[in-house]
Amino acid sequence: IVQLLLRHGADASICMNDGACPLFVACQNGHKTAVETLLEYDAGVNLCMSYGTSPLYVASQRGHENIAHLLLDRGALVNLCNKYNSSPLYPACFWGYYSIAQLLLNNGANINQCLDDGTSPLHASCFGGHDSIVQYLLKNGADLDLCDSDGSGPIYRACQFGHKTTVQILLDNNANVNSFTKIGASPLYGACENGHVDVVQLLIKSGADVNLAVMDGKSSLLIACQNGHHTTVQVLLNSG
């Protein structure tokens, strides 16, 4: 039907009110044949929605690797960002699409492209504990020290969400175990706040300072007590 409509004069680049063109919709829904047909009729491969999201971005966000390949082969800009300064690499890392992240990086994606709030692709992969992507990013030059607008580095986010193996990978790559956010929260504090006892144990074993406190004087022990994380409290007390 797509081919029939185009053959009879349908405009391949006409957009909806939000800026979504037919190519964007086909990429979003994973319809490779429709994408191929639209590109044959010169649909704009870099035509973005009103807030800057490109066909490659949405293909990466939805995990459609075959379409991402096709778009890149047809000239899609790998570092084209939306209004939040997010490139296609960011959603690929956030959702754990390793092969797409690899594809984008092999095609020149900026590995340290940060959102307006300072969140990097490495942050994104740490949110979800996507270890294979974390390792690949670090191997290819991701900056461990980039912090978001809160001053939180990748290790803080990994600890906050309880991803022990991710934390270990970061530590093995020389992440600072006693780094802290703008309010003074350390990775240990983030793990204690949420009761991730296995992460707490790993951090202490790796040299985390159990007595570091945030700016209002609240320690890791206090936040663990306030939030009712009994086992975490016991680990902290046993650490001396």
Side-chain angles (χ1 to χ4, degrees):
I1 293 175
V2 172
Q3 193 170 51
L4 179 63
L5 291 171
L6 290 167
R7 196 183 307 133
H8 283 79
D11 187 347
S13 297
I14 197 166
C15 298
M16 298 169 64
N17 290 338
D18 61 2
C21 63
L23 179 62
F24 182 93
V25 175
C27 291
Q28 184 177 43
N29 292 290
H31 301 311
K32 183 184 178 186
T33 303
V35 171
E36 291 172 331
T37 301
L38 289 163
L39 290 172
E40 287 172 7
Y41 281 81
D42 298 321
V45 71
N46 293 308
L47 189 59
C48 297
M49 293 184 69
S50 55
Y51 47 87
T53 302
S54 68
L56 179 59
Y57 187 101
V58 76
S60 301
Q61 184 180 48
R62 296 297 182 93
H64 303 311
E65 182 185 356
N66 56 350
I67 292 177
H69 265 290
L70 179 60
L71 294 170
L72 288 165
D73 287 344
R74 296 298 293 269
L77 298 175
V78 72
N79 289 311
L80 190 60
C81 296
N82 65 17
K83 72 173 185 177
Y84 304 106
N85 214 28
S86 175
S87 73
L89 180 61
Y90 186 91
C93 292
F94 183 88
W95 293 109
Y97 298 126
Y98 176 84
S99 57
I100 294 180
Q102 187 177 43
L103 171 68
L104 295 170
L105 288 167
N106 288 342
N107 280 271
N110 181 354
I111 200 167
N112 291 312
Q113 174 65 46
C114 294
L115 276 63
D116 288 339
D117 68 0
T119 306
S120 69
L122 183 57
H123 279 91
S125 58
C126 288
F127 288 145
H130 302 304
D131 291 347
S132 58
I133 296 180
V134 171
Q135 289 175 316
Y136 190 78
L137 292 173
L138 291 169
K139 182 180 178 181
N140 286 277
D143 190 343
L144 264 175
D145 298 319
L146 285 177
C147 294
D148 61 25
S149 56
D150 296 327
S152 303
I155 190 170
Y156 182 86
R157 296 305 187 191
C159 292
Q160 184 180 40
F161 290 101
H163 301 305
K164 181 183 177 182
T165 54
T166 307
V167 175
Q168 184 67 70
I169 292 167
L170 295 169
L171 291 171
D172 289 343
N173 282 271
N174 300 314
N176 184 356
V177 72
N178 289 313
S179 58
F180 49 86
T181 69
K182 288 182 178 179
I183 64 166
S186 67
L188 181 61
Y189 185 95
C192 290
E193 184 176 24
N194 295 287
H196 301 307
V197 66
D198 54 343
V199 176
V200 171
Q201 291 170 321
L202 173 61
L203 292 170
I204 292 172
K205 182 181 177 182
S206 300
D209 186 345
V210 298
N211 294 312
L212 286 178
V214 296
M215 292 175 65
D216 65 1
K218 190 179 295 181
S219 67
S220 296
L221 178 60
L222 179 55
I223 194 63
C225 291
Q226 283 185 340
N227 291 342
H229 301 308
H230 179 271
T231 306
T232 302
V233 170
Q234 191 63 59
V235 169
L236 290 168
L237 292 172
N238 289 343
S239 71

